[in-house]
Amino acid sequence: MIEEIIAQHELYLKRLKFAILHRKEFQHKDCGRKGLENACHFGKKLYTEILPTLQDASDEVKRIVMEIEEFHCEFHEVSKTINPLNPLQEQVNSMKTVSLRLYQKLLQLKSLLK
């Protein structure tokens, strides 16, 4: 499942970068913390399939998953500040930084679950 949520993040990021590069409209999604109605696919999986199963996980896995949840929501909050029709480089850089931190945590979890 970890590969699937990594792929979901990469797809969302790719679509957002394409919109920024080509100055096109982009429908920003939410992380899912406040409800799944406008959540991205990653968020839907996280809140319906991953978080509910953490009770049997090790403390380290729980900690990393909660860090992933934080970075994931931060990524959406930062990316929502970007207007793809007129992007500010500082906002794009912030989004990339948070995305990288999220990706690192996802890889850390993947390594731990092997």
Side-chain angles (χ1 to χ4, degrees):
M1 180 178 308
I2 190 74
E3 289 88 4
E4 185 178 342
I5 62 173
I6 290 171
Q8 289 298 330
H9 177 65
E10 289 172 347
L11 287 171
Y12 188 91
L13 186 60
K14 185 180 281 189
R15 288 191 302 266
L16 177 56
K17 286 180 175 180
F18 181 87
I20 292 167
L21 180 65
H22 297 284
R23 306 291 197 262
K24 295 193 178 274
E25 291 286 336
F26 183 79
Q27 286 288 27
H28 290 283
K29 296 284 186 178
D30 295 318
C31 71
R33 183 183 282 167
K34 296 178 183 174
L36 300 178
E37 188 174 306
N38 189 40
C40 68
H41 292 294
F42 179 119
K44 288 178 182 177
K45 276 237 181 274
L46 180 65
Y47 288 99
T48 62
E49 297 179 31
I50 297 171
L51 290 177
T53 65
L54 282 184
Q55 68 273 6
D56 297 327
S58 71
D59 288 344
E60 186 174 12
V61 167
K62 288 177 187 174
R63 179 185 57 78
I64 293 171
V65 169
M66 295 314 295
E67 290 174 352
I68 287 169
E69 192 268 347
E70 282 295 320
F71 282 127
H72 177 241
C73 287
E74 183 180 355
F75 167 78
H76 281 281
E77 291 305 312
V78 170
S79 67
K80 282 183 192 179
T81 66
I82 300 169
N83 175 0
L85 302 177
N86 187 23
L88 300 177
Q89 193 59 46
E90 182 179 316
Q91 293 169 328
V92 173
N93 290 343
S94 293
M95 179 267 303
K96 288 179 180 178
T97 298
V98 175
S99 178
L100 179 59
R101 289 182 185 144
L102 172 59
Y103 191 68
Q104 289 170 333
K105 284 295 170 184
L106 289 165
L107 293 178
Q108 185 180 5
L109 181 61
K110 181 179 176 179
S111 175
L112 188 63
L113 295 176
K114 283 186 177 179

